[in-house]
Amino acid sequence: ETGVTQSPTHLIKTRGQQVTLRCSSQSGHNTVSWYQQALGQGPQFIFQYYREEENGRGNFPPRFSGLQFPNYSSELNVNALELDDSALYLCASSQGLAGLSYEQYFGPGTRLTVT
Amino acid sequence: SQQGEEDPQALSIQEGENATMNCSYKTSINNLQWYRQNSGRGLVHLILIRSNEREKHSGRLRVTLDTSKKSSSLLITASRAADTASYFCASESGAGSYQLTFGKGTKLSVIP
Protein backbone atom coordinates (compact mmCIF):
# COMPACT_ATOMS: atom_id res chain seq x y z
CA GLU A 1 0.00 0.00 0.00
CA THR A 2 1.50 3.31 -1.12
CA GLY A 3 -1.07 5.70 0.39
CA VAL A 4 -2.02 6.90 -3.09
CA THR A 5 -5.65 6.27 -3.95
CA GLN A 6 -7.49 6.58 -7.25
CA SER A 7 -11.15 6.58 -8.17
CA PRO A 8 -13.00 5.04 -9.79
CA THR A 9 -11.37 1.62 -10.17
CA HIS A 10 -13.06 0.87 -13.46
CA LEU A 11 -14.99 3.02 -15.89
CA ILE A 12 -16.76 2.41 -19.19
CA LYS A 13 -17.46 5.38 -21.45
CA THR A 14 -18.70 5.91 -24.98
CA ARG A 15 -16.64 7.55 -27.71
CA GLY A 16 -17.07 11.32 -27.64
CA GLN A 17 -17.89 11.51 -23.93
CA GLN A 18 -15.84 13.23 -21.26
CA VAL A 19 -14.30 11.59 -18.17
CA THR A 20 -12.76 12.77 -14.90
CA LEU A 21 -10.39 10.58 -12.95
CA ARG A 22 -9.31 11.38 -9.40
CA CYS A 23 -6.19 10.84 -7.37
CA SER A 24 -5.37 11.42 -3.73
CA SER A 25 -1.65 11.84 -3.09
CA GLN A 26 0.38 10.35 -0.31
CA SER A 27 0.57 12.62 2.73
CA GLY A 28 3.41 15.14 2.49
CA HIS A 29 3.82 14.83 -1.29
CA ASN A 30 3.47 18.00 -3.36
CA THR A 31 4.02 16.56 -6.84
CA VAL A 32 1.60 14.40 -8.79
CA SER A 33 2.13 12.83 -12.19
CA TRP A 34 -0.32 11.07 -14.47
CA TYR A 35 0.55 8.19 -16.79
CA GLN A 36 -1.36 6.23 -19.41
CA GLN A 37 -0.58 2.55 -19.80
CA ALA A 38 -1.94 0.73 -22.82
CA LEU A 39 -2.20 -3.06 -22.68
CA GLY A 40 1.21 -4.71 -22.91
CA GLN A 41 3.09 -1.40 -22.84
CA GLY A 42 4.96 0.62 -20.28
CA PRO A 43 3.33 3.71 -18.77
CA GLN A 44 3.55 6.91 -20.80
CA PHE A 45 3.87 10.28 -19.10
CA ILE A 46 0.85 12.59 -19.58
CA PHE A 47 1.68 15.54 -17.34
CA GLN A 48 2.87 16.53 -13.90
CA TYR A 49 1.72 19.08 -11.33
CA TYR A 50 3.91 20.65 -8.68
CA ARG A 51 2.24 22.85 -6.07
CA GLU A 52 -0.86 23.28 -8.26
CA GLU A 53 1.02 24.33 -11.41
CA GLU A 54 1.73 22.18 -14.48
CA ASN A 55 5.39 21.20 -14.41
CA GLY A 56 5.86 19.24 -17.60
CA ARG A 57 3.72 17.59 -20.22
CA GLY A 58 4.18 14.55 -22.41
CA ASN A 59 3.08 14.02 -25.99
CA PHE A 60 -0.67 14.10 -25.35
CA PRO A 61 -3.26 16.38 -27.05
CA PRO A 62 -4.92 19.30 -25.22
CA ARG A 63 -8.08 17.29 -24.64
CA PHE A 64 -6.09 15.72 -21.79
CA SER A 65 -6.10 18.28 -19.00
CA GLY A 66 -5.51 18.24 -15.29
CA LEU A 67 -5.79 20.02 -11.99
CA GLN A 68 -4.02 19.84 -8.67
CA PHE A 69 -5.79 21.16 -5.59
CA PRO A 70 -4.37 22.87 -2.47
CA ASN A 71 -4.50 19.57 -0.59
CA TYR A 72 -2.41 18.13 -3.48
CA SER A 73 -5.15 15.81 -4.69
CA SER A 74 -5.52 15.80 -8.45
CA GLU A 75 -7.86 15.25 -11.39
CA LEU A 76 -7.27 14.07 -14.93
CA ASN A 77 -9.91 15.14 -17.44
CA VAL A 78 -10.20 13.72 -20.92
CA ASN A 79 -12.61 15.27 -23.42
CA ALA A 80 -13.97 13.82 -26.66
CA LEU A 81 -12.95 10.27 -25.76
CA GLU A 82 -11.52 8.08 -28.51
CA LEU A 83 -11.28 4.30 -28.64
CA ASP A 84 -7.48 4.53 -28.26
CA ASP A 85 -7.94 6.23 -24.89
CA SER A 86 -8.83 2.83 -23.45
CA ALA A 87 -6.02 2.15 -20.99
CA LEU A 88 -4.98 1.99 -17.35
CA TYR A 89 -4.49 5.49 -15.98
CA LEU A 90 -1.99 5.76 -13.16
CA CYS A 91 -1.23 8.64 -10.89
CA ALA A 92 1.94 8.90 -8.87
CA SER A 93 2.90 11.24 -6.09
CA SER A 94 6.33 12.25 -4.92
CA GLN A 95 8.19 14.90 -3.02
CA GLY A 96 9.43 17.52 -5.44
CA LEU A 97 12.45 19.43 -4.28
CA ALA A 98 14.54 21.56 -6.59
CA GLY A 99 17.64 19.74 -7.70
CA LEU A 100 16.79 16.43 -6.12
CA SER A 101 14.37 13.76 -7.17
CA TYR A 102 12.66 11.03 -5.25
CA GLU A 103 10.88 7.81 -6.06
CA GLN A 104 7.31 8.10 -7.23
CA TYR A 105 4.54 6.24 -5.42
CA PHE A 106 1.82 4.93 -7.69
CA GLY A 107 -1.85 4.41 -7.07
CA PRO A 108 -3.66 1.24 -8.15
CA GLY A 109 -4.92 2.87 -11.35
CA THR A 110 -8.23 3.45 -13.08
CA ARG A 111 -9.09 1.09 -15.93
CA LEU A 112 -10.89 3.12 -18.62
CA THR A 113 -12.69 1.36 -21.44
CA VAL A 114 -14.04 3.44 -24.33
CA THR A 115 -16.63 1.74 -26.54
CA SER B 1 7.57 7.77 -26.73
CA GLN B 2 9.39 5.19 -24.67
CA GLN B 3 13.03 5.85 -23.98
CA GLY B 4 14.02 2.55 -22.47
CA GLU B 5 14.09 -0.98 -23.68
CA GLU B 6 14.08 -3.92 -21.32
CA ASP B 7 15.70 -7.18 -22.22
CA PRO B 8 14.50 -9.87 -22.28
CA GLN B 9 10.81 -9.20 -22.92
CA ALA B 10 9.91 -12.36 -21.05
CA LEU B 11 11.85 -14.58 -18.64
CA SER B 12 10.84 -17.88 -17.08
CA ILE B 13 12.92 -19.41 -14.27
CA GLN B 14 12.63 -21.96 -11.47
CA GLU B 15 12.11 -20.86 -7.90
CA GLY B 16 15.47 -20.33 -6.19
CA GLU B 17 17.27 -19.25 -9.36
CA ASN B 18 18.51 -15.74 -10.01
CA ALA B 19 16.78 -13.45 -12.50
CA THR B 20 18.61 -10.74 -14.42
CA MET B 21 16.85 -8.06 -16.42
CA ASN B 22 18.55 -5.40 -18.49
CA CYS B 23 17.49 -1.92 -19.48
CA SER B 24 18.88 0.54 -21.97
CA TYR B 25 18.02 4.19 -22.31
CA LYS B 26 18.79 6.93 -24.79
CA THR B 27 19.47 10.28 -23.14
CA SER B 28 21.36 11.53 -20.10
CA ILE B 29 19.55 10.83 -16.87
CA ASN B 30 19.28 12.16 -13.32
CA ASN B 31 18.38 8.75 -11.99
CA LEU B 32 16.96 5.41 -13.02
CA GLN B 33 14.24 3.58 -11.14
CA TRP B 34 12.92 0.03 -11.23
CA TYR B 35 9.28 -0.82 -10.64
CA ARG B 36 7.26 -4.03 -10.35
CA GLN B 37 3.70 -4.42 -11.59
CA ASN B 38 1.38 -7.30 -10.80
CA SER B 39 -1.43 -8.16 -13.19
CA GLY B 40 -1.86 -4.70 -14.75
CA ARG B 41 -2.35 -2.92 -11.45
CA GLY B 42 -0.35 -0.12 -9.83
CA LEU B 43 3.41 -0.02 -9.94
CA VAL B 44 5.48 -0.72 -6.86
CA HIS B 45 8.76 1.16 -6.51
CA LEU B 46 11.71 -1.17 -6.01
CA ILE B 47 14.88 0.87 -6.13
CA LEU B 48 16.27 4.22 -7.32
CA ILE B 49 19.84 4.64 -8.46
CA ARG B 50 21.23 8.10 -9.12
CA SER B 51 23.44 8.94 -12.09
CA ASN B 52 26.54 9.23 -9.88
CA GLU B 53 26.02 5.76 -8.37
CA ARG B 54 27.18 2.50 -9.95
CA GLU B 55 25.55 -0.15 -7.80
CA LYS B 56 22.82 -0.37 -5.23
CA HIS B 57 21.37 -3.17 -3.11
CA SER B 58 18.03 -3.63 -1.44
CA GLY B 59 17.32 -7.03 0.12
CA ARG B 60 17.43 -9.60 -2.70
CA LEU B 61 17.69 -6.86 -5.33
CA ARG B 62 20.89 -5.59 -6.89
CA VAL B 63 20.87 -2.79 -9.45
CA THR B 64 23.81 -1.60 -11.51
CA LEU B 65 24.07 1.50 -13.65
CA ASP B 66 26.55 2.13 -16.46
CA THR B 67 26.05 5.67 -17.72
CA SER B 68 28.75 5.29 -20.38
CA LYS B 69 26.71 2.49 -21.97
CA LYS B 70 23.35 4.01 -20.99
CA SER B 71 22.31 0.74 -19.42
CA SER B 72 21.16 -0.73 -16.13
CA SER B 73 20.52 -4.20 -14.83
CA LEU B 74 18.28 -5.59 -12.10
CA LEU B 75 19.26 -8.84 -10.41
CA ILE B 76 16.80 -10.69 -8.21
CA THR B 77 18.53 -13.40 -6.22
CA ALA B 78 16.92 -16.58 -4.88
CA SER B 79 13.68 -15.89 -6.73
CA ARG B 80 10.29 -16.81 -5.29
CA ALA B 81 6.95 -17.50 -6.93
CA ALA B 82 5.75 -14.19 -5.48
CA ASP B 83 8.32 -12.38 -7.66
CA THR B 84 6.22 -13.26 -10.71
CA ALA B 85 5.34 -9.87 -12.21
CA SER B 86 6.31 -7.39 -14.91
CA TYR B 87 9.37 -5.30 -14.18
CA PHE B 88 9.94 -1.85 -15.65
CA CYS B 89 12.88 0.47 -15.68
CA ALA B 90 12.12 4.18 -15.74
CA SER B 91 14.57 6.96 -16.39
CA GLU B 92 14.25 10.48 -15.09
CA SER B 93 15.98 13.20 -17.06
CA GLY B 94 15.76 16.94 -17.51
CA ALA B 95 16.00 19.71 -15.00
CA GLY B 96 13.08 20.63 -12.80
CA SER B 97 10.68 17.99 -14.03
CA TYR B 98 10.41 14.65 -12.34
CA GLN B 99 8.73 12.78 -15.17
CA LEU B 100 9.64 9.16 -15.73
CA THR B 101 10.16 7.54 -19.12
CA PHE B 102 9.39 3.84 -18.98
CA GLY B 103 10.46 0.91 -21.09
CA LYS B 104 8.09 -1.82 -22.20
CA GLY B 105 8.97 -4.12 -19.33
CA THR B 106 10.17 -7.66 -18.72
CA LYS B 107 7.56 -10.24 -17.79
CA LEU B 108 9.09 -12.55 -15.19
CA SER B 109 7.55 -15.93 -14.38
CA VAL B 110 8.95 -17.85 -11.42
CA ILE B 111 7.87 -21.48 -11.47
CA PRO B 112 7.44 -23.12 -8.05
Side-chain angles (χ1 to χ4, degrees):
Chain A
E1 290 285 328
T2 63
V4 180
T5 59
Q6 291 187 244
S7 62
T9 306
H10 295 88
L11 200 52
I12 299 174
K13 289 285 190 178
T14 303
R15 191 172 50 184
Q17 286 187 316
Q18 178 264 342
V19 69
T20 298
L21 310 181
R22 294 180 174 82
C23 172
S24 179
S25 299
Q26 184 162 314
S27 177
H29 286 182
N30 56 18
T31 302
V32 65
S33 304
W34 285 91
Y35 295 84
Q36 179 196 67
Q37 186 178 21
L39 205 59
Q41 301 293 315
Q44 295 225 2
F45 175 73
I46 302 175
F47 44 58
Q48 180 182 89
Y49 281 82
Y50 172 65
R51 292 186 174 181
E52 303 177 59
E53 301 232 343
E54 191 177 285
N55 184 45
R57 188 180 181 92
N59 190 26
F60 280 81
R63 58 190 186 84
F64 285 78
S65 63
L67 278 174
Q68 188 183 29
F69 300 101
N71 65 355
Y72 300 135
S73 64
S74 176
E75 285 183 355
L76 164 65
N77 298 290
V78 187
N79 293 323
L81 284 166
E82 300 177 0
L83 297 178
D84 284 349
D85 296 333
S86 294
L88 181 68
Y89 287 85
L90 297 159
C91 80
S93 73
S94 60
Q95 289 176 287
L97 293 175
L100 194 62
S101 51
Y102 295 83
E103 55 266 29
Q104 298 194 12
Y105 294 88
F106 282 79
T110 293
R111 174 75 62 188
L112 173 66
T113 302
V114 182
T115 62
Chain B
S1 62
Q2 314 215 235
Q3 162 158 234
E5 289 286 337
E6 284 92 341
D7 169 53
Q9 291 186 358
L11 180 60
S12 184
I13 59 174
Q14 295 290 129
E15 202 165 28
E17 293 181 336
N18 295 342
T20 299
M21 288 160 265
N22 302 297
C23 165
S24 62
Y25 56 91
K26 295 175 186 172
T27 62
S28 299
I29 60 171
N30 296 330
N31 65 65
L32 189 134
Q33 303 179 34
W34 285 89
Y35 288 84
R36 183 184 74 225
Q37 186 177 41
N38 291 83
S39 304
R41 297 303 290 169
L43 284 83
V44 174
H45 181 267
L46 296 176
I47 201 163
L48 180 154
I49 186 166
R50 300 192 188 280
S51 60
N52 60 353
E53 297 175 312
R54 291 297 167 258
E55 188 171 312
K56 206 160 182 181
H57 296 255
S58 176
R60 294 185 294 114
L61 306 180
R62 172 180 170 254
V63 167
T64 61
L65 179 65
D66 187 335
T67 53
S68 66
K69 294 182 180 177
K70 292 187 169 59
S71 66
S72 174
S73 68
L74 170 67
L75 168 68
I76 305 174
T77 59
S79 63
R80 305 166 182 167
D83 295 329
T84 295
S86 291
Y87 291 82
F88 294 90
C89 70
S91 57
E92 185 196 293
S93 55
S97 172
Y98 307 111
Q99 65 187 69
L100 296 175
T101 304
F102 285 83
K104 293 185 179 180
T106 292
K107 193 165 185 177
L108 173 66
S109 298
V110 181
I111 303 163

